[in-house]
Amino acid sequence: MSLIDSHCHLDRIDLTEAEGSLETALDQARARGVSGFLCVDIDLDNFKDVLSIAEQHEDVWCSAGIHPLAKMKAEDLDSSHLKELALSSDKVIAVGECGLDYYYDAETAPNQKSLFEKQLAVACEVGKPVIVHTREAREDTLELIRRYTPKGLSGVLHCFTESLEMAEAAIDEGFYISFSGIITFRNAGPLRDVVRNMPLDRILVETDSPYLAPVPYRGKSNQPKWVVEVAQCVADLKGVSLEELSRVTTNNFRTLFNLPAT
Ligand SMILES: [Zn+2]
Ligand SMILES: [Zn+2]
C-alpha cells in the first residue's frame, strides 16, 4: 500500500509519541504504508523550516506561500521574492497554503483577497499548483481561481469543509479536493455526502497535522501516520478497498504535482 499525506505541518507536530524525533514520526507513518508527505508552508519565515525538512527526507516535499490568517499585508508581499522561493529547489512542488478564511477573520477580507491573488499569479508564473485554504468564502475563492485557470493555474482545495456545489465548481476548473480527519467527525454527515459524490480521480487525503486528528484520536495532536484513518473513511464512503483508494489518491497527487509515477 502506498498512501500520501498531501498536507501536513511537519515542523509543528508533537513528537512526544515519537521519542522526540521527526524521523521516528515519519517511520511510524511509513510502517503503515505512507510513502510521501507534503510539508506545507504558512508564511515566509516558516519556509526555511519546511524546506530543510523536505531536503532531509527523500519522501517529503514542501511548498512556499502565505496563509490567509498569517496577518501579512498584501502590499508587503514581494511577488518576486516568493517566486524565488518557489523556484529555489525541486523539493518545492507547490505555492501555498494561501486562500481565504472568512470564518476566523472576515474583517480582513479585502487584504486576504489581494494576498491570495498575488500568490495565484506567482503559481501561474512558476508553473506550480496552488494549495488553497478556503473557509466560508466560497464565491470569492471560486471567482479568484477562475481568473487564473485560463493562465494555467491548477491546484487543490485542502481540508475541504464546504458544499458539494463548491467542490464541483472547483473540479470544473481542474482542481482536486483534499479531505482531512474532519470527515470522520460525528457531526460531519453533510461533508461525508460530499465525499460520496466526489469522483475518485479528483480526491486527495491529508492529515493537516498537528491539527484535526481523526476519530478515534480526535482531540490528540494529529500525526501523519493517521492519514490511514482518513483514507479508510474515504474508502468506506466510496465503497472501495483501502488499497484501491491509496493507489488512486497517490496517483492523483503525483499527477497534480507533476511528479513521476512510481
Ligand atoms: Zn489550511
Ligand atoms: Zn495547513
Side-chain angles (χ1 to χ4, degrees):
M1 192 176 87
S2 163
L3 203 51
I4 292 181
D5 185 353
S6 76
H7 189 116
C8 49
H9 300 278
L10 296 176
D11 55 311
R12 299 163 181 252
I13 61 172
D14 178 1
L15 298 173
T16 43
E17 282 199 46
E19 298 146 3
S21 150
L22 175 61
E23 195 61 48
T24 304
L26 296 175
D27 278 343
Q28 289 169 349
R30 291 168 185 141
R32 300 189 76 200
V34 184
S35 63
F37 311 84
L38 176 44
C39 181
V40 175
D41 185 23
I42 54 164
D43 64 30
L44 295 175
D45 294 334
N46 185 216
F47 179 72
K48 59 182 181 324
D49 296 335
V50 299
L51 178 62
S52 119
I53 291 172
E55 283 183 332
Q56 286 166 52
H57 305 276
E58 210 189 326
D59 51 2
V60 178
W61 300 276
C62 71
S63 65
I66 300 110
H67 194 286
L69 301 176
K71 306 243 179 270
M72 183 176 198
K73 282 212 196 90
E75 69 242 38
D76 291 341
L77 174 61
D78 174 359
S79 294
S80 61
H81 178 53
L82 179 60
K83 209 171 138 182
E84 260 170 49
L85 299 184
L87 292 171
S88 62
S89 160
D90 287 345
K91 281 288 190 166
V92 185
I93 58 171
V95 171
E97 61 178 296
C98 55
L100 304 173
D101 193 322
Y102 299 167
Y103 177 79
Y104 282 111
D105 196 354
E107 261 114 77
T108 61
N111 183 65
Q112 289 189 39
K113 279 200 267 187
S114 57
L115 188 62
F116 184 31
E117 181 160 13
K118 282 175 101 168
Q119 296 182 78
L120 295 177
V122 168
C124 289
E125 282 178 47
V126 301
K128 298 190 184 192
V130 71
I131 301 166
V132 176
H133 172 110
T134 178
R135 204 149 172 219
E136 293 195 5
R138 296 175 192 180
E139 291 313 312
D140 288 354
T141 300
L142 288 170
E143 192 200 311
L144 282 166
I145 284 173
R146 287 192 185 112
R147 213 176 277 174
Y148 287 86
T149 44
K151 297 174 182 144
L153 182 75
S154 67
V156 54
L157 302 188
H158 105 90
C159 192
F160 191 76
T161 55
E162 305 295 325
S163 65
L164 178 61
E165 291 67 33
M166 184 180 189
E168 286 174 338
I171 286 175
D172 283 346
E173 296 301 312
F175 268 59
Y176 289 75
I177 307 294
S178 180
F179 295 100
S180 71
I182 292 179
I183 61 167
T184 68
F185 294 0
R186 199 164 51 94
N187 58 0
L191 188 57
R192 281 188 284 276
D193 283 337
V194 174
V195 178
R196 284 188 191 97
N197 282 289
M198 282 297 99
L200 264 182
D201 66 357
R202 287 285 145 182
I203 297 178
L204 301 182
V205 287
E206 65 173 83
T207 58
D208 205 8
S209 47
Y211 316 107
L212 303 166
V215 170
Y217 307 106
R218 193 169 179 188
K220 288 196 169 194
S221 187
N222 202 2
Q223 303 285 325
K225 63 183 172 185
W226 294 332
V227 73
V228 180
E229 277 66 25
V230 178
Q232 182 68 62
C233 181
V234 175
D236 292 346
L237 292 168
K238 296 301 294 176
V240 299
S241 66
L242 178 59
E243 284 67 27
E244 174 67 359
L245 195 278
S246 304
R247 190 187 64 74
V248 176
T249 54
T250 295
N251 211 13
N252 294 346
F253 180 90
R254 292 189 168 274
T255 304
L256 171 61
F257 293 109
N258 304 305
L259 299 165
T262 43

PDB file of all heavy atoms in Angstrom, residues 7-9 40 42 67 97 133 158 206 208 211, ligand 2:
ATOM      1  N   HIS A   7      -1.005  16.995   2.923  1.00  0.00           N
ATOM      2  CA  HIS A   7      -0.944  18.300   3.605  1.00  0.00           C
ATOM      3  C   HIS A   7      -0.661  18.078   5.094  1.00  0.00           C
ATOM      4  O   HIS A   7      -1.530  17.610   5.834  1.00  0.00           O
ATOM      5  CB  HIS A   7      -2.279  19.043   3.431  1.00  0.00           C
ATOM      6  CG  HIS A   7      -2.271  20.463   3.889  1.00  0.00           C
ATOM      7  ND1 HIS A   7      -2.457  21.530   3.037  1.00  0.00           N
ATOM      8  CD2 HIS A   7      -2.098  21.010   5.123  1.00  0.00           C
ATOM      9  CE1 HIS A   7      -2.412  22.660   3.713  1.00  0.00           C
ATOM     10  NE2 HIS A   7      -2.192  22.369   4.997  1.00  0.00           N
ATOM     11  N   CYS A   8       0.553  18.397   5.498  1.00  0.00           N
ATOM     12  CA  CYS A   8       0.884  18.309   6.926  1.00  0.00           C
ATOM     13  C   CYS A   8       1.908  19.391   7.258  1.00  0.00           C
ATOM     14  O   CYS A   8       2.573  19.923   6.375  1.00  0.00           O
ATOM     15  CB  CYS A   8       1.423  16.925   7.290  1.00  0.00           C
ATOM     16  SG  CYS A   8       2.724  16.314   6.211  1.00  0.00           S
ATOM     17  N   HIS A   9       1.963  19.727   8.527  1.00  0.00           N
ATOM     18  CA  HIS A   9       2.902  20.750   9.002  1.00  0.00           C
ATOM     19  C   HIS A   9       3.917  20.044   9.893  1.00  0.00           C
ATOM     20  O   HIS A   9       3.797  20.052  11.116  1.00  0.00           O
ATOM     21  CB  HIS A   9       2.136  21.860   9.729  1.00  0.00           C
ATOM     22  CG  HIS A   9       1.125  22.555   8.861  1.00  0.00           C
ATOM     23  ND1 HIS A   9       1.470  23.567   7.994  1.00  0.00           N
ATOM     24  CD2 HIS A   9      -0.204  22.351   8.681  1.00  0.00           C
ATOM     25  CE1 HIS A   9       0.382  23.971   7.333  1.00  0.00           C
ATOM     26  NE2 HIS A   9      -0.647  23.246   7.732  1.00  0.00           N
ATOM     27  N   VAL A  40       3.664  21.675   4.422  1.00  0.00           N
ATOM     28  CA  VAL A  40       3.120  22.913   3.872  1.00  0.00           C
ATOM     29  C   VAL A  40       3.580  24.145   4.645  1.00  0.00           C
ATOM     30  O   VAL A  40       3.540  24.187   5.877  1.00  0.00           O
ATOM     31  CB  VAL A  40       1.574  22.822   3.834  1.00  0.00           C
ATOM     32  CG1 VAL A  40       0.964  24.129   3.380  1.00  0.00           C
ATOM     33  CG2 VAL A  40       1.147  21.681   2.918  1.00  0.00           C
ATOM     34  N   ILE A  42       3.423  28.135   5.815  1.00  0.00           N
ATOM     35  CA  ILE A  42       2.340  29.060   6.172  1.00  0.00           C
ATOM     36  C   ILE A  42       2.744  30.539   6.106  1.00  0.00           C
ATOM     37  O   ILE A  42       1.880  31.406   6.070  1.00  0.00           O
ATOM     38  CB  ILE A  42       1.748  28.770   7.572  1.00  0.00           C
ATOM     39  CG1 ILE A  42       2.840  28.756   8.624  1.00  0.00           C
ATOM     40  CG2 ILE A  42       0.956  27.475   7.569  1.00  0.00           C
ATOM     41  CD1 ILE A  42       2.286  28.853  10.032  1.00  0.00           C
ATOM     42  N   HIS A  67      -0.308  31.870   4.462  1.00  0.00           N
ATOM     43  CA  HIS A  67      -1.651  31.504   4.926  1.00  0.00           C
ATOM     44  C   HIS A  67      -2.519  32.765   5.075  1.00  0.00           C
ATOM     45  O   HIS A  67      -2.019  33.817   5.497  1.00  0.00           O
ATOM     46  CB  HIS A  67      -1.491  30.796   6.283  1.00  0.00           C
ATOM     47  CG  HIS A  67      -2.708  30.073   6.755  1.00  0.00           C
ATOM     48  ND1 HIS A  67      -3.811  30.724   7.251  1.00  0.00           N
ATOM     49  CD2 HIS A  67      -2.984  28.754   6.810  1.00  0.00           C
ATOM     50  CE1 HIS A  67      -4.726  29.824   7.590  1.00  0.00           C
ATOM     51  NE2 HIS A  67      -4.253  28.622   7.334  1.00  0.00           N
ATOM     52  N   GLU A  97       0.351  27.294   1.736  1.00  0.00           N
ATOM     53  CA  GLU A  97      -1.057  27.398   1.538  1.00  0.00           C
ATOM     54  C   GLU A  97      -1.471  28.843   1.582  1.00  0.00           C
ATOM     55  O   GLU A  97      -0.996  29.639   2.390  1.00  0.00           O
ATOM     56  CB  GLU A  97      -1.840  26.561   2.576  1.00  0.00           C
ATOM     57  CG  GLU A  97      -1.644  26.958   4.032  1.00  0.00           C
ATOM     58  CD  GLU A  97      -2.499  26.090   4.941  1.00  0.00           C
ATOM     59  OE1 GLU A  97      -3.746  26.130   4.872  1.00  0.00           O
ATOM     60  OE2 GLU A  97      -1.914  25.362   5.741  1.00  0.00           O
ATOM     61  N   HIS A 133      -6.477  27.190   0.925  1.00  0.00           N
ATOM     62  CA  HIS A 133      -7.207  27.111   2.187  1.00  0.00           C
ATOM     63  C   HIS A 133      -8.442  27.993   2.026  1.00  0.00           C
ATOM     64  O   HIS A 133      -8.311  29.189   1.768  1.00  0.00           O
ATOM     65  CB  HIS A 133      -6.294  27.626   3.315  1.00  0.00           C
ATOM     66  CG  HIS A 133      -6.965  27.783   4.638  1.00  0.00           C
ATOM     67  ND1 HIS A 133      -6.688  26.960   5.717  1.00  0.00           N
ATOM     68  CD2 HIS A 133      -7.898  28.664   5.073  1.00  0.00           C
ATOM     69  CE1 HIS A 133      -7.435  27.332   6.757  1.00  0.00           C
ATOM     70  NE2 HIS A 133      -8.174  28.375   6.392  1.00  0.00           N
ATOM     71  N   HIS A 158      -7.710  22.367   0.011  1.00  0.00           N
ATOM     72  CA  HIS A 158      -7.291  21.440   1.068  1.00  0.00           C
ATOM     73  C   HIS A 158      -8.246  21.501   2.253  1.00  0.00           C
ATOM     74  O   HIS A 158      -8.943  22.485   2.459  1.00  0.00           O
ATOM     75  CB  HIS A 158      -5.836  21.742   1.469  1.00  0.00           C
ATOM     76  CG  HIS A 158      -5.695  22.439   2.782  1.00  0.00           C
ATOM     77  ND1 HIS A 158      -5.555  21.753   3.968  1.00  0.00           N
ATOM     78  CD2 HIS A 158      -5.683  23.746   3.102  1.00  0.00           C
ATOM     79  CE1 HIS A 158      -5.460  22.624   4.960  1.00  0.00           C
ATOM     80  NE2 HIS A 158      -5.540  23.833   4.469  1.00  0.00           N
ATOM     81  N   GLU A 206      -5.368  13.925   3.427  1.00  0.00           N
ATOM     82  CA  GLU A 206      -4.365  14.663   4.209  1.00  0.00           C
ATOM     83  C   GLU A 206      -4.674  14.537   5.692  1.00  0.00           C
ATOM     84  O   GLU A 206      -5.790  14.165   6.083  1.00  0.00           O
ATOM     85  CB  GLU A 206      -4.431  16.153   3.839  1.00  0.00           C
ATOM     86  CG  GLU A 206      -5.757  16.815   4.236  1.00  0.00           C
ATOM     87  CD  GLU A 206      -5.760  18.327   4.028  1.00  0.00           C
ATOM     88  OE1 GLU A 206      -6.017  18.756   2.887  1.00  0.00           O
ATOM     89  OE2 GLU A 206      -5.513  19.065   5.001  1.00  0.00           O
ATOM     90  N   ASP A 208      -3.374  17.349   7.741  1.00  0.00           N
ATOM     91  CA  ASP A 208      -3.242  18.719   8.258  1.00  0.00           C
ATOM     92  C   ASP A 208      -2.637  18.684   9.671  1.00  0.00           C
ATOM     93  O   ASP A 208      -2.901  19.557  10.480  1.00  0.00           O
ATOM     94  CB  ASP A 208      -4.591  19.476   8.265  1.00  0.00           C
ATOM     95  CG  ASP A 208      -4.409  20.992   8.206  1.00  0.00           C
ATOM     96  OD1 ASP A 208      -3.267  21.462   8.007  1.00  0.00           O
ATOM     97  OD2 ASP A 208      -5.409  21.714   8.370  1.00  0.00           O
ATOM     98  N   TYR A 211      -3.053  19.502  13.387  1.00  0.00           N
ATOM     99  CA  TYR A 211      -4.451  19.862  13.646  1.00  0.00           C
ATOM    100  C   TYR A 211      -5.376  18.714  13.248  1.00  0.00           C
ATOM    101  O   TYR A 211      -4.998  17.831  12.476  1.00  0.00           O
ATOM    102  CB  TYR A 211      -4.818  21.141  12.864  1.00  0.00           C
ATOM    103  CG  TYR A 211      -3.733  22.185  12.964  1.00  0.00           C
ATOM    104  CD1 TYR A 211      -2.913  22.480  11.879  1.00  0.00           C
ATOM    105  CD2 TYR A 211      -3.489  22.836  14.177  1.00  0.00           C
ATOM    106  CE1 TYR A 211      -1.878  23.403  11.987  1.00  0.00           C
ATOM    107  CE2 TYR A 211      -2.457  23.760  14.284  1.00  0.00           C
ATOM    108  CZ  TYR A 211      -1.654  24.037  13.186  1.00  0.00           C
ATOM    109  OH  TYR A 211      -0.624  24.941  13.301  1.00  0.00           O
TER     110      TYR A 211
HETATM  111 ZN    ZN B   2      -2.437  23.571   6.725  1.00  0.00          ZN
END
